[in-house]
């Protein structure tokens, strides 16, 4: 693994015509003869240079687990109680984005051979019903010290549903995850009659408690109801058999601008009381923050466009697709100073700098707005997912419709990006990274 600083896992759509709200108008033009093969493993060095592992063959095939559009990586852990034993050396949790949503965990093993690093994946337990339809996002998060929760957003056909799985280790527990909660989000805002008739849970993020509360906050971006839905999470242990259970209670809802369609949400890694929200349907990003006291959220200024003025042109083919507005992911860099936001159709990443100033006390910081410092082409079609490396030296882009993973080097001083490398991966939907030393035995 000497040359592979990171291992990446790529989830792909294994069926044609997926996750494109414009299919009724012909869909985004692309090569439809190329279809994803499953979940692939790639190697990434410190500069962002990409290479296939396992000779580019999937470690999880489409016939084993179809439409594996989103995944999260489980790092090796020493917390024996928090997850099934087969996953303690590391693994993957993956959703199958179909009407009958499924969730499956896989133990992952890394071997150094004469031909380089070889990755193998073995299913752990049975495929589980996600509690909703078209699951499109999955994360893992520790809740206290006794449970690692697996949090799934079901986009939903009739209703968006948030489902939480956990490993409730106790006298009567099996060595597998069990569903702890499923919460429906109800009707949509109907601001857009075609896409917001009902709620659509699109992504979630967890943040540490804000004093005086000791409960963790879970926030979900609901594209259908134009809201950020905030929950409190806690665990309890049975006094008789040591069984661990999780409680998740809705706390607040922050209304986003009507028809904006919140898609992704990520808390700042340094100033963890602020988050960036990607607004898919208006192609904007929006800063929000937790208020002191009750910990509820408020908007921090107006949303900011990720598109240049005057785009699309009146004659542009993109204009027929929601007037060219189709944002996707937005992520922070590790030092929390820059935001990277992707725009589909325009096929670009906009780089914004977060303005800060010293607060009223020596330990406080005043958060200002966002300043555009760069807008760069992604050199592909439909940048669906962004993944920032832990070191902050590069960012990966999963292009759904140009069928590739691309990498960009990042200047840590000014935040600007420059193209580095590309691998062909049909219908790439998601890419996630882990340091090579944090996975496997």
């Amino acid at each position: 693994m000497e040359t592979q600083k990171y291992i990446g896992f790529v989830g792909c759509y294994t069926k044609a015509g997926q996750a494109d709200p414009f299919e009724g108008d012909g869909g985004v033009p692309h090569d439809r003869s190329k279809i994803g093969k499953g979940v692939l493993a790639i190697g990434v060095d410190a500069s962002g240079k990409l290479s296939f592992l396992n000779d580019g063959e999937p470690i999880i095939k489409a016939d084993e687990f179809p439409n594996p559009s989103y995944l999260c990586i489980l790092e090796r852990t020493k917390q024996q109680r928090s997850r099934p034993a087969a996953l303690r050396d590391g693994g993957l949790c993956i959703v199958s984005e179909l009407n009958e949503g499924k969730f499956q965990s896989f133990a992952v093993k890394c071997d150094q051979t004469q031909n380089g690093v070889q990755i193998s994946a073995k299913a752990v337990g049975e495929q589980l019903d996600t509690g909703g339809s078209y699951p499109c996002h999955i994360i893992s998060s520790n809740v206290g010290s006794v449970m690692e929760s697996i949090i799934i957003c079901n986009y939903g056909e009739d209703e968006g549903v948030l489902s939480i799985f956990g490993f409730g280790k106790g006298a009567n527990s099996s060595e597998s995850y069990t569903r702890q909660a499923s919460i429906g989000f109800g009707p949509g805002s109907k601001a857009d009659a075609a896409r917001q008739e009902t709620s659509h849970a699109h992504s979630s993020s967890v943040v540490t408690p804000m004093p005086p509360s000791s409960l963790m906050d879970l926030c979900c971006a609901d594209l259908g109801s134009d809201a950020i839905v905030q929950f409190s999470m806690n665990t309890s242990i049975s006094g008789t058999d040591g069984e661990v259970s999780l409680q998740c209670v809705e706390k607040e809802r922050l209304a986003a601008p009507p028809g904006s369609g919140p898609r992704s949400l990520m808390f700042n890694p340094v100033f963890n009381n602020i988050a960036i929200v990607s607004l898919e349907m208006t192609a904007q990003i929006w800063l929000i923050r937790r208020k002191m006291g009750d910990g509820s959220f408020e908007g921090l200024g107006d949303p900011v466009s990720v598109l240049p003025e005057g785009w699309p042109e009146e004659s542009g083919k993109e204009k027929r697709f929601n007037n060219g507005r189709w944002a996707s992911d937005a992520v922070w860099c590790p030092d929390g100073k820059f935001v990277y936001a992707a725009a589909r159709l325009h096929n670009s990443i906009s780089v914004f700098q977060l303005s800060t100033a010293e607060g009223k006390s020596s330990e406080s910081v005043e958060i200002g707005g966002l300043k555009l410092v760069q807008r760069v082409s992604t050199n592909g079609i439909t940048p669906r997912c962004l993944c920032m490396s832990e070191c902050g030296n590069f960012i990966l882009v999963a292009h759904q419709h140009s069928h590739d993973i691309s990498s960009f080097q990042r200047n840590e001083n000014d935040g600007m990006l420059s193209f580095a490398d590309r691998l062909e991966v049909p219908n790439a939907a998601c890419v996630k990274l882990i340091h090579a030393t944090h996975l496997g035995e």
Side-chain angles (χ1 to χ4, degrees):
M1 294 186 190
E2 292 78 13
T3 61
Q4 310 300 338
K5 183 171 183 178
Y6 293 94
I7 295 173
F9 295 96
V10 184
C12 304
Y13 286 112
T14 61
K15 297 180 180 296
Q18 300 294 291
D20 183 350
F22 313 117
E23 276 292 304
D25 293 323
V28 175
H30 66 283
D31 184 350
R32 291 175 179 263
S33 69
K34 297 181 179 180
I35 301 295
K37 297 188 290 184
V39 176
L40 282 73
I42 62 175
V44 192
D45 71 12
S47 69
K49 183 175 176 56
L50 308 173
S51 61
F52 282 119
L53 302 181
N54 294 41
D55 297 320
E57 293 301 312
I59 62 169
I60 301 166
K61 296 181 179 180
D63 58 0
E64 181 182 0
F65 198 68
N67 253 25
S69 66
Y70 210 90
L71 59 86
C72 66
I73 304 173
L74 304 178
E75 289 190 6
R76 186 171 52 244
T77 182
K78 295 181 180 179
Q79 295 186 16
Q80 299 299 307
R81 293 172 56 91
S82 67
R83 73 167 69 142
L87 296 169
R88 288 174 192 155
D89 285 329
L92 299 174
C93 289
I94 310 174
V95 291
S96 174
E97 192 175 336
L98 297 173
N99 186 41
E100 296 182 358
K102 298 295 182 182
F103 152 55
Q104 178 74 69
S105 56
F106 294 83
V108 173
K109 185 177 181 182
C110 306
D111 292 313
Q112 184 72 48
T113 71
Q114 291 182 344
N115 296 323
V117 177
Q118 292 291 303
I119 307 292
S120 60
K122 182 179 180 181
V124 175
E126 298 179 350
Q127 293 183 14
L128 301 175
D129 188 329
T130 61
S133 60
Y134 300 105
C136 60
H137 191 266
I138 183 169
I139 61 172
S140 68
S141 179
N142 288 325
V143 183
S145 60
V146 293
M147 179 179 284
E148 180 179 58
S149 60
I150 305 299
I151 303 164
I152 296 173
C153 287
N154 295 280
Y155 185 84
E157 187 170 27
D158 300 319
E159 179 184 29
V161 176
L162 177 73
S163 293
I164 304 176
F165 292 78
F167 179 56
K169 185 64 175 174
N172 301 316
S173 295
S174 64
E175 280 291 318
S176 63
Y177 289 108
T178 58
R179 199 191 314 166
Q180 300 285 317
S182 284
I183 303 167
F185 284 4
S189 69
K190 299 179 175 58
D192 184 301
R195 297 196 63 194
Q196 295 183 310
E197 179 67 24
T198 188
S199 53
H200 294 300
H202 211 304
S203 66
S204 64
S205 188
V206 174
V207 68
T208 54
M210 171 178 278
S213 173
S214 61
L215 304 181
M216 295 189 69
D217 277 344
L218 165 64
C219 295
C220 183
D222 182 350
L223 183 146
S225 67
D226 288 322
I228 305 300
V229 188
Q230 184 180 3
F231 299 88
S232 291
M233 293 198 303
N234 195 18
T235 55
S236 60
I237 302 175
S238 169
T240 57
D241 60 7
E243 190 80 11
V244 180
S245 60
L246 179 142
Q247 297 79 44
C248 183
V249 179
E250 185 173 328
K251 183 177 177 181
E252 296 281 349
R253 291 195 178 208
L254 172 64
S260 60
R263 182 189 189 276
S264 73
L265 183 151
M266 182 180 181
F267 286 94
N268 188 292
V270 177
F271 311 109
N272 66 1
N273 287 328
I274 68 169
I276 193 70
V277 179
S278 173
L279 303 175
E280 174 175 318
M281 297 169 62
T282 52
Q284 296 172 308
I285 54 174
W286 188 33
L287 278 175
I288 64 173
R289 66 179 170 193
R290 286 192 296 178
K291 294 183 287 187
M292 299 299 293
D294 64 1
S296 62
F297 280 85
E298 62 182 354
L300 189 60
D302 295 326
V304 178
S305 177
V306 297
L307 296 173
E309 290 187 15
W311 195 90
E313 297 179 357
E314 286 298 323
S315 60
K317 61 182 183 299
E318 300 88 359
K319 191 172 179 63
R320 74 179 190 272
F321 300 137
N322 191 38
N323 200 31
R325 280 145 178 76
W326 196 27
S328 58
D329 234 350
V331 299
W332 296 100
C333 64
D335 63 12
K337 295 179 180 179
F338 296 93
V339 171
Y340 298 81
R344 293 172 286 191
L345 297 178
H346 190 253
N347 299 320
S348 62
I349 297 175
S350 295
V351 184
F352 296 89
Q353 184 173 20
L354 179 69
S355 62
T356 60
E358 292 186 5
K360 296 179 180 179
S361 69
S362 60
E363 298 180 353
S364 65
V365 174
E366 295 288 341
I367 303 297
L370 296 169
K371 176 185 176 182
L372 178 68
V373 297
Q374 184 189 29
R375 182 169 288 124
V376 59
S377 170
T378 62
N379 294 325
I381 305 172
T382 312
R384 182 174 181 83
C385 178
L386 303 180
C387 182
M388 179 69 66
S389 64
E390 182 183 27
C391 62
N393 290 343
F394 61 89
I395 189 170
L396 300 187
V397 184
H399 286 113
Q400 181 180 349
H401 288 140
S402 55
H403 308 293
D404 67 82
I405 300 294
S406 294
S407 64
F408 288 78
Q409 292 180 336
R410 192 184 80 90
N411 185 306
E412 66 176 350
N413 295 317
D414 60 20
M416 296 180 72
L417 301 176
S418 57
F419 180 78
D421 204 1
R422 177 187 182 275
L423 281 180
E424 181 172 333
V425 180
N427 283 135
C430 162
V431 59
K432 298 295 176 183
L433 288 169
I434 186 169
H435 199 283
T437 61
H438 296 170
L439 188 67
E441 300 177 359

